[in-house]
Amino acid sequence: MGTVIVTEQQEHRAWYLIYTKPRQEEAARDNLGRQGFHAWLPRVRVVKRRGTRRVPVVEPMFPRYLFVELDSAYQDWSPISSTLGVTSLVRFGGVPAKVPGPLVAALQARADEDDICDLSARQQPRAGDTVRVAHGAFAGYEAVFQARSGRERVLVLLEVAGKQSRVTLPADDIDPV
């Protein structure tokens, strides 16, 4: 097996958190990048309700936060706080908050070339599992998952007025219990 060579400069590199102004995550990332900082903004695809329609949108995974990789020994961090879009470097007790490298690496492994993370690996319910209806007319009810009925729909057993009924719902409307 090969030997990994770590330079002195790599030893001092770590990921930190940046707190941004509201809805300014992308501007902060871009402005930090123009100053030579390596900033990363993980994003996710979600479905939002706009009236009666469901609209797919891409938004930051962690609203108002982004990651920045900094070198504690060789890099001047002072420009960060005055960068457009940035509120501050996140600190605890005055010390910049380090983010574990393996956490960032795991998120980056799930991201595509546009930094959109795939979260679809969430545990899919199996027949007989209890689920909670999160949206719609049956919001708040618990049901028994039966099966997927197509790509975006699921079939559940829902107890209404003392009787179990089969109901087809959008897959996004249920959450595991």
Side-chain angles (χ1 to χ4, degrees):
M1 208 143 123
T3 306
V4 176
I5 299 172
V6 178
T7 66
E8 186 179 334
Q9 191 168 2
Q10 288 173 322
E11 287 179 11
H12 300 285
R13 295 195 72 77
W15 286 98
Y16 296 87
L17 269 179
I18 298 285
Y19 187 60
T20 69
K21 294 180 178 164
R23 294 174 295 286
Q24 294 290 308
E25 298 91 351
E26 289 182 24
R29 178 202 57 209
D30 295 345
N31 289 323
L32 286 165
R34 278 193 275 280
Q35 296 176 62
F37 294 103
H38 179 214
W40 185 59
L41 175 63
R43 301 178 307 152
V44 292
R45 281 188 177 86
V46 295
V47 177
K48 297 278 186 164
R49 291 183 182 270
R50 301 279 192 254
T52 59
R53 296 180 311 141
R54 299 165 67 80
V55 180
V57 296
V58 175
E59 62 184 28
M61 181 183 282
F62 306 106
R64 296 197 68 186
Y65 291 93
L66 60 91
F67 300 100
V68 64
E69 189 177 32
L70 300 171
D71 186 316
S72 62
Y74 299 102
Q75 199 168 24
D76 178 16
W77 298 10
S78 61
I80 292 174
S81 60
S82 61
T83 301
L84 289 175
V86 171
T87 297
S88 64
L89 187 64
V90 175
R91 298 174 186 273
F92 295 113
V95 178
K98 278 189 184 179
V99 177
L103 171 65
V104 176
L107 289 171
Q108 288 177 326
R110 296 183 87 164
D112 65 14
E113 64 278 354
D114 296 319
D115 293 331
I116 298 172
C117 295
D118 179 14
L119 299 181
S120 63
R122 104 178 170 180
Q123 186 70 25
Q124 296 297 321
R126 291 184 286 215
D129 286 353
T130 302
V131 294
R132 179 170 291 115
V133 181
H135 306 285
F138 300 108
Y141 281 90
E142 286 191 3
V144 177
F145 181 82
Q146 294 290 287
R148 293 190 81 68
S149 64
R151 192 173 206 182
E152 298 179 10
R153 314 257 327 144
V154 294
L155 182 64
V156 297
L157 276 180
L158 191 65
E159 191 171 318
V160 180
K163 180 181 170 197
Q164 283 198 335
S165 303
R166 283 187 165 184
V167 178
T168 303
L169 300 169
D172 292 338
D173 282 3
I174 64 164
D175 291 325
V177 173

